[in-house]
Amino acid sequence: MKSYSIALIPGDGIGQDVTDAAWQVLSTVARHSGFTLTGTSFPWSCAFYKDTGAMMPADGIEALRPFDAILLGSVGWPAEVPDSISLHGLLLPIRKAFVQYASIRPHRLLPGVEGPLKASDFDILCVRENTEGEYSGAGGRVHQGTEDEVAVETSIFTRAGVERILRFAFEQARQRRGKLASVTKSNAQKHSMVFWDEVTRQLAAEYPDVEVTSYHIDAMAARVVMAPESLDVVVASNLFGDILTDLGAAIQGGLGFAASANINPDRSAPSMFEPVHGSAPDIAHVGIANPIAAIWSGAMMLEHLGEREAAGMIMAALERTTIRGIGTVPGKDRTRSITAAVLAALD
Ligand code: IPM
Ligand code: MN
């Protein structure tokens, strides 16, 4: 029997609620499908930081490396630990250390979910660069606390980094509807984004079957709202992709529906699966967090592990749940009852 070892990092706030729900669904589908999932939980979080002074132990990355995949809830408790510490101590180092350079985030409406737009017939796959760009962490501050203070944050775009994310996106487009939108801002950013456009054009020559269009990020934001059905695969830098995927979440009914995968396409290290939403401290542990984004992320994990049929079973169960109006309106159904409905729909 096939067996996969999964590292579970529920993290903070509702991350714990939704990871628990996703794990119940994943374990059940594994039983039905004839493979085993073994979960090992890591308590790394802001509470862990308060106890130990670090978001994860010094050998945390090495502890995760042997796993087949990582399922993460969410990280952050800004009232207790500044985000700049918690995110740079756990989530972002994992993405970088395991070269999870492709963050993939699907944006479509599950049946029964009403989005804020008139358009309902869209199916977008956002491919976000996940290891460099505006998130490189290069920079510093001088003359801190004085009137002469300076803060510098330098984006870093490497040929290797830009080429691999664009290539990944071209490949995705080829497997979908053959359309790629490359997000730029080369009218204002004359170094990094002109470079991004050049590499887009270079790769386009290798993919004559993919129709590629470059859009400036501002125009893309408008397009996501005005004509989302015109988009197939959208590829963007780290920060542009971050912003666009919250917009994508909004048009698919909210952050409770937005799933994501941090993929290491070479499979030289584990990939990580997590909902796009944060830890939502205001509704933590009151039992009303929507587990759908986390469950959907779990389906993406199974797909990555090669368990396509089981992943399809989860997506079908989610659709059978939302079409009945369960989990579709924020705050209406409890985490437990949404999870129970998905579990029942698996059979
Ligand atoms: C996301 C989140 C993170 C990001 C934050 C929490 C650092 O917003 O996964 O989209 O910006 O990547
Ligand atoms: Mn984000």
Side-chain angles (χ1 to χ4, degrees):
M1 201 195 289
K2 272 205 170 154
S3 174
Y4 305 97
S5 57
I6 310 299
L8 300 169
I9 309 178
D12 296 299
I14 63 165
Q16 300 178 3
D17 311 358
V18 299
T19 305
D20 194 49
W23 189 246
Q24 281 183 55
V25 173
L26 285 163
S27 312
T28 307
V29 90
R31 258 197 316 279
H32 288 336
S33 308
F35 61 88
T36 323
L37 292 176
T38 328
T40 306
S41 231
F42 295 88
W44 305 340
S45 59
C46 290
F48 186 86
Y49 178 88
K50 301 276 282 186
D51 285 348
T52 67
M55 290 297 292
M56 64 174 157
D59 64 351
I61 292 291
E62 288 321 305
L64 293 174
R65 197 180 290 280
F67 286 89
D68 292 311
I70 304 162
L71 191 67
L72 182 127
S74 66
V75 181
W77 197 271
E80 296 287 332
V81 181
D83 281 341
S84 56
I85 289 180
S86 59
L87 277 321
H88 285 276
L90 186 55
L91 179 70
L92 300 175
I94 296 175
R95 289 179 181 168
K96 283 185 192 163
F98 291 150
V99 206
Q100 296 166 347
Y101 67 79
S103 164
I104 53 182
R105 301 183 162 182
H107 302 296
R108 63 183 168 84
L109 285 166
L110 292 176
V113 177
E114 244 183 74
L117 302 181
K118 281 193 210 133
S120 59
D121 196 17
F122 54 85
D123 181 357
I124 302 171
L125 187 72
C126 202
V127 174
R128 163 188 178 189
E129 202 293 317
N130 214 28
T131 54
E132 57 168 41
E134 309 87 343
Y135 280 48
S136 296
R141 287 170 67 172
V142 288
H143 309 310
Q144 277 197 50
T146 73
E147 283 193 354
D148 300 324
E149 185 155 7
V150 179
V152 177
E153 183 105 28
T154 306
S155 298
I156 293 186
F157 289 84
T158 64
R159 178 169 290 274
V162 173
E163 205 174 300
R164 70 189 179 185
I165 194 64
L166 286 168
R167 190 175 291 285
F168 182 90
F170 271 103
E171 293 288 340
Q172 293 293 314
R174 185 171 261 181
Q175 283 163 39
R176 286 171 47 106
R177 301 192 301 282
K179 275 175 72 170
L180 178 63
S182 175
V183 180
T184 183
K185 189 63 193 174
S186 49
N187 56 356
Q189 296 190 301
K190 63 180 186 176
H191 305 297
S192 58
M193 285 295 131
V194 168
F195 174 56
W196 177 279
D197 291 354
E198 276 169 24
V199 182
T200 300
R201 277 196 300 274
Q202 280 160 16
L203 283 182
E206 286 181 45
Y207 293 87
D209 50 323
V210 174
E211 182 196 325
V212 57
T213 313
S214 289
Y215 297 97
H216 294 306
I217 177 66
D218 46 354
M220 174 55 75
R223 176 168 288 268
V224 168
V225 173
M226 304 299 287
E229 66 291 338
S230 70
L231 297 165
D232 179 10
V233 177
V234 175
V235 62
S237 67
N238 213 333
L239 181 61
F240 290 171
D242 175 49
I243 298 165
L244 270 185
T245 53
D246 260 38
L247 184 56
I251 69 163
Q252 74 188 128
L255 281 150
F257 301 100
S260 88
N262 304 277
I263 301 284
N264 169 324
D266 312 328
R267 296 176 186 261
S268 57
S271 294
M272 177 165 67
F273 302 82
E274 52 162 337
V276 176
H277 64 65
S279 61
D282 53 324
I283 58 158
H285 315 318
V286 294
I288 57 162
N290 190 341
I292 290 178
I295 296 171
W296 189 340
S297 306
M300 294 175 82
M301 180 180 88
L302 294 187
E303 172 111 39
H304 178 75
L305 292 172
E307 298 294 346
R308 292 200 87 161
E309 209 172 301
M313 275 172 69
I314 295 184
M315 291 315 296
L318 281 177
E319 297 190 351
R320 280 200 284 272
T321 301
T322 55
I323 206 163
R324 290 167 57 210
I326 300 172
T328 55
V329 179
K332 183 172 76 65
D333 299 302
R334 305 196 55 82
T335 313
R336 204 172 344 118
S337 49
I338 301 169
T339 310
V342 176
L343 288 169
L346 278 174
D347 303 314

